[in-house]
Amino acid sequence: MRGSSPSTAGEPSPARSPARVQPRPGSRARQDPSAVGIEPQPGSSPEPQRPRASGEPGAPSAGDWAPVQGGGGCRAARAWAAAAMKFPGSVLVSLVLFMSETVAALCLSAGYHDTGNRMWQTLTLLFALVPCALVQLSLVFIHRDVSRDRPLVLLLHLLQLGPLVRCVEALYIYFHAGRVEDPYVSITKKRQLPKDGHSEEVEKEVGQTEGKLLTHRSAFSRVSVIQAFLGSAPQLTLQLYISVLQQEVTVARSVFMVLSLLSIVYGALRCNILAIKIKYDDYNVRVKPAAYLCIFMWRSFEIATRVTVLVLFGSVLKIWVFVVVLLNFLGFFLYPWILFWLSKSPFPENIEKELSRLGTTIVLCLLTFLYAGINMFCWSAAQVELSDPDLISKSQNWYRMTVYYIVRLMENAFLLLMWYIYRTDFYLYVCAPMLFLQLLIGYCMGIFFMLVFYQFCHPCKKLFSSSVTEALLSCFKILYLICQHQKSSLLTGKVVIKSPEKTDEARGSSKTIDSQNRNIHQSVSSNA
């Protein structure tokens, strides 16, 4: 989630301390062939390169090259490198969701203006323009446009056209890849996921063109997260709240709410993928379609039920919902700072060299602001840790996740109970107990798909020190031991309280027995 460097996405990029950066043999930037391990034959010139076929020995990755004869190999290498690049579909999806949601928000705010609802118009514009401005700043910051002196691009960002320009650039780079050979390449090293306890390290060449495309993908992944939780989530909550108050769902509002929900779920999905690639940056991670499906179902149930619970609670207790939102937001905003203060780590200075201490503090505050916005509606897969150089925790903390979902489930149940108690006449036509159970079951369904993802579909589940089931069993064992300890302490307290009474009774009974024995002895002696 760190916006200063696209390398934090866990994708191979020339900006991430490559193993070595060298000119590509056969390019304009000539070099000694022995520098890349190719022995030139006497009287011959450096030979052009072609990629090895996937079936040949010694061809573990797409970036492995071997010398061939003739000039046609260079053109074949360029065509092969262009075909190896992935189409920037995530960039296009992010742009479509961003543009469609912005246009829908403007149209809906114009409709509120026509009907005289100035407050709804202001809030709708606020939740649309503030994340839009943050998106422009993020793109400028990630691409370092200020230091590169690009006034036209900066002007387009001021006109809120930055995502459109970036998408056009990414498509242009993709469709023109291979026409001109990259003079320099960076070689990144990635480890394969372990099989039978063994993990191989593979080298891959990343040209400048592919590096630029990866930077665009990384930037739009972060943009999707920002737009989802600082724009779409508040918008969805607001529009659903307006629909409940007005007891009407218009076509424009329903379309806008569907777009907002899709944007939130897509942003949460991108957040999960970013977190996986950041945590397991040393490995070549491939996410399968089943994992995408589990994440989509998990986030859909979790976010939809959370938004519905907040809207229902706010419709009957209008002031208290602000207290709930404020406490949640401040708690998650201050939590990373409290951990950073307790760790006594030095202040992060490696975010950007050009930034001052004040600028670094602003960037960190924006990062924790986004972190709080994510945790307001769902579990943030990327846990902020300000003491870490990448600002993201690399460990998989099952206990923190368990505590979050237990507390969130209890909070949702409490808010629904308050809504059920103080519900108005509007809900007379709604089966309140059934809606209560449906929302709780929906949230539990989200937790179920989350467990399925981490247990069966996570791409790096082989690297887990413990599985989800083992973590849950250990959590339940800890809770069981705590309950047993409390019971044992209560029982010992009762025994301590009752023991003096028993000793008194024993002393009294022994005294009566002794007196009876004396009487018998006296009677026997008198008879004698």
Side-chain angles (χ1 to χ4, degrees), residues 7 13-21 187-189:
S7 62
S13 172
R16 177 180 292 280
S17 302
R20 58 183 181 275
V21 179
I187 298 179
T188 59
K189 293 184 179 180

Side-chain angles (χ1 to χ4, degrees), residues 54-101:
S54 58
E56 296 180 13
S61 67
D64 206 358
W65 296 81
V68 294
Q69 299 289 339
C74 188
R75 290 191 297 272
R78 290 197 296 266
W80 179 83
M85 286 193 213
K86 294 181 180 179
F87 179 76
S90 60
V91 174
L92 196 59
V93 172
S94 300
L95 177 69
V96 169
L97 287 174
F98 176 79
M99 297 295 292
S100 58
E101 192 176 7

Side-chain angles (χ1 to χ4, degrees), residues 7 34 122 192 243 371:
S7 62
S34 62
T122 304
Q192 298 291 340
S243 301
Y371 175 74

Side-chain angles (χ1 to χ4, degrees), residues 313-381:
F313 180 76
S315 64
V316 295
L317 297 170
K318 298 179 176 59
I319 298 178
W320 287 101
V321 70
F322 293 103
V323 177
V324 172
V325 170
L326 188 62
L327 289 177
N328 273 270
F329 195 86
L330 287 178
F332 287 111
F333 179 80
L334 296 175
Y335 180 70
W337 292 100
I338 294 173
L339 291 181
F340 175 69
W341 178 70
L342 293 175
S343 65
K344 298 181 181 179
S345 301
F347 189 77
E349 299 288 351
N350 59 339
I351 294 181
E352 190 71 29
K353 294 181 180 179
E354 291 79 7
L355 287 177
S356 62
R357 193 178 183 88
L358 177 60
T360 303
T361 305
I362 293 174
V363 171
L364 294 178
C365 288
L366 290 176
L367 178 63
T368 51
F369 186 83
L370 175 61
Y371 175 74
I374 296 173
N375 282 281
M376 174 68 64
F377 296 95
C378 65
W379 165 257
S380 176

Side-chain angles (χ1 to χ4, degrees), residues 128-145:
L129 296 180
V130 170
C132 188
L134 292 176
V135 163
Q136 312 299 324
L137 289 175
S138 300
L139 290 175
V140 171
F141 184 70
I142 293 173
H143 289 276
R144 299 178 176 87
D145 291 317

